[in-house]
Amino acid sequence: MTLDNHAFRYVQQLVRERSAIVLEEGKQYLVETRLSELARREQYASAQDVVDRLRAAPQGPLQRKVIEAMTTTETLWFRDIKPYDMLRTTLIPDMKARRASERELVIWSCACSSGQEPYSLAMLIRESFPELATWKIRIIATDISTEMLERTRTGAYNQLEVNRGLPVGYLTKYFIRDGLRWRVKPELQQMLELRQLNLASAQNMLPRADIVLLRNVLIYFDLETRKQIYARVRAAMRRDGALLLGTAESTANDDGFDAVRVAGTTYYRPRQA
């Protein structure tokens, strides 16, 4: 059964109100595909049936499942490798020098999805900075989806997922074969702190971050929401911290950051008053 226009508008408004994510015109196919997958998991008749039941009980547990289905995004290991190169060659060495007396480094992975980004960070640190083994390394991984946070906590991925950007050497070194899946070793899991957080709502209490990865997230929000998110992220950063965005994103409409170019890649520092 095809999702009718009224059902699409209902989901469009719900997602906008609860997560601030904008489902533009032409996204009907995406909405129907995601809700059809949810219908199969929850044993509903169709995507339309999901919306009909949600309308009948709008404050029930189905609302959270629909929001999570619509806000889950695609991800892969070491995505757009240049930012990870910059972390390895510039940002982490810089922060290591700045935090030498504290011996603590806080990295915030915003919208961590199923965990590929924060685990990529953990592997990069293990591989390139063994001297930080005696430091307190905190990788704060947040997402709006409790389902995605649970996937990150479990750290289990199928063969298709580990094939997407993960070097073979890292797979054999940092993962354990578990039936048809690969499971992240405890030494990486212990580096992550998982928290449920909606970037578009009031900021939860987070430790001040030295480095923030807010990558391939802002494209889903309108301009005003992006400005609000920038302000919240800036407030959660150390004054000399660094912000990394996706390749198609910039702080062009926000005057709270200064862009810093390094070897063809850009990161952003909070602008000092």
Side-chain angles (χ1 to χ4, degrees):
M1 180 179 180
T2 302
L3 199 68
D4 64 38
N5 287 333
H6 294 295
F8 171 72
R9 302 278 185 234
Y10 180 82
V11 174
Q12 186 183 43
Q13 181 177 353
L14 176 68
V15 172
R16 179 71 176 264
E17 290 175 351
R18 299 302 181 191
S19 70
I21 288 176
V22 178
L23 294 172
E24 299 174 343
E25 296 300 323
K27 295 290 186 180
Q28 286 92 334
Y29 175 77
L30 173 66
V31 171
E32 183 164 3
T33 299
R34 296 264 177 103
L35 293 187
S36 294
E37 293 171 357
L38 175 62
R40 283 192 293 271
R41 290 200 307 270
E42 302 294 326
Q43 299 184 326
Y44 294 120
S46 64
Q48 184 68 44
D49 187 31
V50 170
V51 178
D52 292 342
R53 289 172 182 261
L54 180 59
R55 280 174 161 162
Q59 301 305 318
L62 184 57
Q63 182 188 98
R64 176 184 59 80
K65 293 177 181 178
V66 169
I67 296 296
E68 292 192 356
M70 298 312 307
T71 56
T72 300
T73 57
E74 187 178 29
T75 186
L76 63 156
W77 309 93
F78 297 98
R79 184 173 183 176
D80 308 322
I81 191 65
K82 284 186 177 181
Y84 290 93
D85 288 340
M86 182 167 62
L87 283 163
R88 178 175 50 82
T89 62
T90 303
L91 292 183
I92 293 180
D94 177 54
M95 283 300 167
K96 189 175 69 167
R98 291 171 183 266
R99 306 293 183 255
S101 61
E102 302 172 27
R103 301 179 67 81
E104 179 175 345
L105 186 62
V106 179
I107 304 177
W108 177 15
S109 171
C110 307
C112 68
S113 189
S114 49
Q116 283 86 336
E117 180 175 271
Y119 283 128
S120 293
L121 289 167
M123 286 184 280
L124 182 149
I125 291 170
R126 288 277 182 171
E127 285 292 306
S128 300
F129 302 96
E131 68 275 17
L132 295 183
T134 59
W135 284 40
K136 184 175 183 180
I137 305 297
R138 304 179 66 184
I139 300 175
I140 313 297
T142 67
D143 201 274
I144 190 175
S145 170
T146 55
E147 179 184 351
M148 288 296 102
L149 288 173
E150 184 56 33
R151 283 212 60 198
T152 302
R153 189 185 315 278
T154 302
Y157 303 92
N158 62 35
Q159 190 65 51
L160 178 62
E161 289 170 327
V162 297
N163 285 346
R164 303 194 66 204
L166 184 64
V168 173
Y170 286 13
L171 177 62
T172 57
K173 185 173 182 178
Y174 293 109
F175 290 74
I176 302 170
R177 191 66 183 259
D178 183 10
L180 297 177
R181 300 187 297 176
W182 293 86
R183 191 176 298 275
V184 175
K185 287 185 176 180
E187 64 193 71
L188 292 189
Q189 291 178 308
Q190 293 166 5
M191 296 175 68
L192 271 57
E193 300 177 26
L194 308 183
R195 307 201 186 175
Q196 196 276 338
L197 186 144
N198 183 350
L199 288 169
S201 65
Q203 185 69 47
N204 287 2
M205 294 299 295
L206 295 174
R208 285 293 183 93
D210 301 298
I211 299 172
V212 177
L213 281 77
L214 181 64
R215 305 186 61 238
N216 307 297
V217 177
L218 296 170
I219 55 176
Y220 298 102
F221 299 104
D222 61 26
L223 177 59
E224 185 56 37
T225 304
R226 288 199 296 270
K227 289 181 177 180
Q228 294 170 8
I229 292 173
Y230 279 134
R232 294 188 183 106
V233 168
R234 190 164 55 248
M237 294 175 63
R238 298 282 290 265
R239 289 172 58 86
D240 59 351
L243 169 66
L244 280 76
L245 301 177
T247 55
E249 300 166 326
S250 75
T251 61
N253 295 305
D254 184 273
D255 59 3
F257 290 93
D258 291 315
V260 181
R261 294 282 291 175
V262 177
T265 307
T266 304
Y267 72 93
Y268 302 87
R269 288 204 185 276
R271 181 168 294 170
Q272 304 303 314

